Structures are given as structure tokens and as C-alpha cells.
Amino acid sequence: MELKEKIKRDLLAKATKLKNKYPPISERSDGKLRVQKIEKIFQLKEDYRNFYLIITKLKDKHKVKKYYLALVVAVQSSDLLAKIARKLISDKEHIQLIQFPFHPEHFRVSLAFLRELEEFMDIDELKNKLNKLRTNFLMKLNNIIN
């Protein structure tokens, strides 16, 4: 099944499109920084609470669309929270940490785990993996507080 169809069926069925202007995100590949313009962001519902689907378009000649699943781990990001989360995902491949304003009208930058969706990826398995990381993050934060 094609990735677009899988996303429509599994994620966008009960999602809300966010209608704001967003800054681009960037990633490093082959030693180069590639800027990706945000095309659309959807806030996912029900089973995917605190998840967002981000659709980007590369700003180079190819105009390739990329799909990312993001899980918000902290609504208000800080340096301390980012350091804790970065240490937690340091051994996880392909999972990135971003600070991003999903709701810019609230003037807050959220901290989120981000993973690019690939053609043959099991989205439910990825959801569970990200949720486990979020649970570990919250447990570490609780230990620091106590």
C-alpha cells in the first residue's frame, strides 16, 4: 500500500488541519543542511492524542514531500527538558528532537519527538515506540522533581 493511502486511512480520518503559518524545519543529510517548508500540519485525535502529522516540501529542485509523525512531550519547552529528552533518544535511530510552535497563537514552543514516515513502516508500532519514549521522559522528569 502506498504511503499516502496509509496516512489517509490510518491518520487523517479523524484529524484536524491546523491553519497557521509555520517556520520551516531542517535536517542534515549527506553533511548538508536541507530546509523543508511546512506544507500542512494535522493534529491527530483519539488513539493518536498529542500526535501531529507534518507534511513538508523540500526547498530544492526536487519538490519532494516528506511525512513526519511528531509526539509532543512538553507543551512548554526549556533547555533542561531538551537536555533530558536528547539524552533519552541519543541511542534511538531516526528519532529527532524538535522545538516547534504547533500552536503559535499561544506563544509557546513545544518539545516533540519527530520521526519520518517511510513506505513500509507500521504506523501503530511507531506510535507505541514514541509513546514509550514519552513515558520514559515523564518518569525521568518525575524522578528529578521528587
Side-chain angles (χ1 to χ4, degrees), residues 99-113:
Q99 293 176 307
F100 194 80
F102 288 101
H103 299 281
E105 66 273 9
H106 297 302
F107 300 108
R108 291 190 173 181
V109 176
S110 299
L111 185 65
F113 295 133

Side-chain angles (χ1 to χ4, degrees), residues 77-92:
S77 183
S78 70
D79 290 344
L80 175 64
L81 295 176
K83 282 183 181 181
I84 294 168
R86 191 174 298 121
K87 188 163 180 107
L88 188 68
I89 65 165
S90 63
D91 62 335
K92 307 291 185 231

